[in-house]
Amino acid sequence: VRRSYWGWGYEDKALSERDVEPLARLAHAAFGASPVLAPIPPLEAYDVPAPSFSLPRTLERIATRDPAELVRHSCGASLKDVLRKLTTAIPRPPDYVLYPEAESEIEAALEFAHSHRVAVVPYGGGSSVVGGVDTDGEWRSAYSGVLSIDISRMARLVELDEWSLAARFQAGVLGPAIEEQLRPYGLTLRHFPQSFECSSLGGWVATRSGGHYATQATHIDDLVESVRVLAPSGILETRRLPASGAGPDPNRSILGSEGTLGIITEAWVRVQRRPAARARAEVSFKDFLAGAKALKELVQAGFRPANCRVIDDVEAALNGVPSRGALMFLSFESPEPVVDRLLDSALELLAANGGDPKHEGQRGGGSFAHYRESFMRAPYVRDAIVRLGLVTETFETAVTWDRLDHLVHAVKDKVPKAIREATGKDGLVAARITHAYPDGAAPYFTVVAAGGTTLSDNVTIWEQVKQAASETVISHGATITHHHAVGRDHVPWFVREQPPLWHRTLGSLKSLYDPGRILNPGVLGL
Ligand SMILES: Cc1cc2nc3c(=O)[nH]c(=O)nc-3n(C[C@H](O)[C@H](O)[C@H](O)COP(=O)(O)OP(=O)(O)OC[C@H]3O[C@@H](n4cnc5c(N)ncnc54)[C@H](O)[C@@H]3O)c2cc1C
């Protein structure tokens, strides 16, 4: 099955004209969207210039200039990226995509790139939504060319320590292949970002990804025991330890480095036995902030549900879930019979905080499964909506509880205004809380708005809306990203939220690891 060169995932899973009919009718009625899908450009329509340098024979063996590969590797998977691919206005593609199968090939590629001033873009699953794998930009003219190094062929479970519950994987492994290789041992990594199908362990570590479990190990950070990284100036391999107080943690220099310091080739990750039992319920609240307040009480009381997602009425409607007010999807995983007792006491607490609970399977309690299914299909549906000419994209953040209400009110005020200014029409801004901590939460917003006359206009429309969203988030004490990463697109806000001395520290690390500054120029503002 072939990866799509223009959109999310695999070609054969893209929605067809027939699949999309009901959605198209809705989009047309609500926003005057096109009733038919925009065509997918044939590969001949893209401008793919001849390479600006040649490769030594050792690297030629692992290189491709297949047009579908060059187009796919020119950028990631955000709305902007899909629009650029659908309109053929892609960033200049890399000169070559390399598919190494061994560390020695990555070392050879880094050496060649360093000595020939070629920029290198590390590539895992290519699901970046922040310009993290773009192969063009103002920086490109300072280099003699660009290599995209795709490590997805390095995808093996190398070693398993069942005694300590830890596994060593090559970093190019995609989500499903991690779980497939652990399943025979009754184990799971239990890290499920929405992009799970097409994102890699190395990409997760590089971007500090967030899985869909709402509490405890929310980020990959918590699951990484040690990493192995090839940098232009040498190899960094950290020691396997369950914990350590020995100075600043070297793993932390790599978590979130977004391909600017080196290429992660392996990681030891903490795995766990597959959960024995699950119990689920859904709880209604009068509105989103009432649900959020009850969630705060729940986590501050010490409950750590596997999931406790609060969605507002707009998010419910977008996913075809009936709701009056807001809904919380609540689930626990643990050995039986603890799980049922936990769920019952959590529901008691939520009922005392304005919630109206229903166990899964009770009347009206089947929305959890429906929402989960809709969540998994969302990336393919997103692509169809984009091809119908609408603007749809998400933004996410995290903030302490004391500022959550202000932030949500501000987003619900400023972003719809920005949509109206950019499109002349009203749009939708849906809210959910994806992760909850004792001291705060991660709110996540989905925008759906009318598009312009052409698909190209929609890039500008989204940039205008996103600008307003990012300003609102930053000026309300929240972070520019809880888990989508910084890439190139978030740099202006990332720099504002970092202490200046820390940003200079990152600059020093960059000079040490990558003195020729060949790795991912511009990402993290480095
Ligand atoms: C539909 C959709 C849903 C998403 N849902 C989530 C979600 O639930 N949670 C979440 O956290 N994110 C989500 N994302 C964002 C994205 O999936 C994550 O950032 C993910 O961690 C990227 O992994 P990847 O393997 O695709 O990395 P890529 O997109 O290939 O790369 C991302 C960045 O990491 C660098 N990089 C990649 N591999 C390596 C390596 N081996 N060594 C060094 N640097 C490397 C790249 O250069 C780039 O800067 C979503 C994206 C999409 C399109």
Side-chain angles (χ1 to χ4, degrees):
V1 202
R2 265 169 59 120
R3 285 286 299 271
S4 166
Y5 60 82
W6 63 271
W8 177 253
Y10 296 96
E11 276 180 354
D12 64 330
K13 288 197 186 172
L15 269 59
S16 69
E17 203 76 59
R18 195 141 147 231
D19 300 329
V20 117
E21 238 174 62
L23 185 65
R25 268 200 304 275
L26 273 177
H28 186 65
F31 296 104
S34 156
V36 290
L37 294 170
I40 297 160
L43 282 165
E44 309 78 72
Y46 292 90
D47 180 21
V48 177
S52 53
F53 62 94
S54 24
L55 286 172
R57 192 141 333 129
T58 43
L59 294 180
E60 241 174 32
R61 279 190 309 112
I62 57 164
T64 180
R65 279 196 44 83
D66 176 308
E69 295 293 282
L70 293 178
V71 170
R72 174 160 78 90
H73 287 79
S74 66
C75 56
S78 66
L79 165 68
K80 183 169 91 178
D81 297 335
V82 175
L83 286 170
R84 292 191 293 182
K85 284 172 175 163
L86 285 174
T87 56
T88 71
I90 53 170
R92 181 179 170 152
D95 294 282
Y96 304 91
V97 178
L98 299 187
Y99 275 107
E101 292 184 20
E103 279 194 354
S104 54
E105 292 168 343
I106 298 181
E107 271 174 314
L110 289 178
E111 249 174 63
F112 169 81
H114 182 81
S115 54
H116 291 77
R117 195 140 183 82
V118 168
V120 167
V121 178
Y123 190 103
S127 68
S128 171
V129 282
V130 288
V133 291
D134 275 20
T135 49
D136 198 8
E138 277 170 16
W139 51 270
R140 185 153 176 167
S141 58
Y143 295 85
S144 45
V146 176
L147 284 176
S148 175
I149 302 193
D150 181 326
I151 68 157
S152 59
R153 291 196 186 155
M154 297 173 70
R156 261 181 328 110
L157 169 62
V158 187
E159 213 177 330
L160 182 63
D161 174 353
E162 285 187 83
W163 190 250
S164 316
L165 286 183
R168 180 176 151 218
F169 277 100
Q170 289 183 304
V173 63
L174 299 186
I178 295 179
E179 292 300 323
E180 268 158 38
Q181 294 179 83
L182 290 175
R183 195 167 296 118
Y185 303 95
L187 298 172
T188 174
L189 176 59
R190 204 174 171 272
H191 186 70
F192 300 107
Q194 193 183 28
S195 52
F196 177 76
E197 185 185 19
C198 288
S199 58
S200 69
L201 176 61
W204 297 345
V205 175
T207 60
R208 304 183 61 196
S209 60
H212 76 193
Y213 290 106
T215 65
Q216 304 196 79
T218 55
H219 283 87
I220 193 72
D221 309 26
D222 307 310
L223 302 174
V224 171
E225 193 179 67
S226 83
V227 289
R228 187 172 158 84
V229 181
L230 303 188
S233 60
I235 296 176
L236 175 92
E237 184 168 351
T238 61
R239 182 177 285 211
R240 283 190 59 205
L241 291 168
S244 166
D249 180 356
N251 289 327
R252 292 267 164 194
S253 69
I254 296 307
L255 283 157
S257 59
E258 301 194 23
T260 59
L261 301 181
I263 299 191
I264 303 156
T265 56
E266 284 184 0
W268 274 96
V269 284
R270 302 186 173 108
V271 295
Q272 51 185 282
R273 301 200 174 90
R274 301 179 80 75
R278 287 195 183 90
R280 300 189 180 108
E282 61 191 65
V283 187
S284 310
F285 290 91
K286 74 173 168 34
D287 60 33
F288 183 64
L289 289 176
K293 157 86 174 40
L295 175 58
K296 172 183 111 62
E297 299 304 328
L298 188 75
V299 284
Q300 289 184 346
F303 286 95
R304 296 292 176 265
N307 236 320
C308 49
R309 180 159 297 201
V310 180
I311 67 171
D312 74 355
D313 50 342
V314 187
E315 174 75 11
L318 286 179
N319 287 280
V321 172
S323 88
R324 277 203 313 269
L327 275 177
M328 180 192 293
F329 296 122
L330 183 69
S331 73
F332 285 91
E333 292 180 355
S334 72
E336 268 174 313
V338 189
V339 76
D340 292 318
R341 282 208 306 273
L342 272 174
L343 184 66
D344 286 343
S345 359
L347 291 179
E348 229 173 83
L349 184 147
L350 292 171
N353 281 278
D356 175 15
K358 290 188 184 66
H359 278 273
E360 192 174 46
Q362 279 184 311
R363 203 161 61 84
S367 304
F368 200 147
H370 179 84
Y371 184 77
R372 216 176 35 239
E373 206 181 292
S374 164
F375 183 78
M376 298 320 289
R377 280 181 35 240
Y380 291 103
V381 175
R382 189 272 315 252
D383 285 356
I385 297 175
V386 172
R387 286 176 66 197
L388 292 172
L390 296 189
V391 172
T392 181
E393 184 56 297
T394 61
F395 62 96
E396 44 80 60
T397 182
V399 72
T400 46
W401 288 116
D402 61 320
R403 292 167 162 167
L404 179 77
D405 290 21
H406 275 127
L407 173 71
V408 172
H409 284 305
V411 166
K412 289 275 190 170
D413 172 43
K414 303 253 187 270
V415 178
K417 277 187 191 149
I419 294 173
R420 256 194 311 279
E421 266 166 39
T423 66
K425 293 186 185 144
D426 286 334
L428 296 174
V429 181
R432 60 190 199 234
I433 290 184
T434 57
H435 300 84
Y437 305 94
D439 56 341
Y444 187 109
F445 302 93
T446 302
V447 170
V448 185
T453 319
T454 66
L455 285 185
S456 317
D457 297 339
N458 294 356
V459 175
T460 324
I461 291 175
W462 173 246
E463 278 172 352
Q464 254 175 275
V465 175
K466 171 71 177 172
Q467 174 83 16
S470 301
E471 284 301 323
T472 308
V473 158
I474 287 288
S475 59
H476 285 77
T479 174
I480 191 61
T481 175
H482 171 267
H483 59 261
H484 277 172
V486 175
R488 296 182 173 85
D489 297 352
H490 281 158
V491 166
W493 298 279
F494 170 68
V495 170
R496 270 163 62 186
E497 87 174 64
Q498 295 299 304
L501 182 57
W502 175 240
H503 203 66
R504 293 210 320 265
T505 310
L506 287 182
S508 306
L509 274 182
K510 171 80 176 170
S511 306
L512 275 174
Y513 282 65
D514 177 23
R517 308 188 91 77
I518 54 167
L519 280 163
N520 242 353
V523 165
L524 296 179
L526 297 174

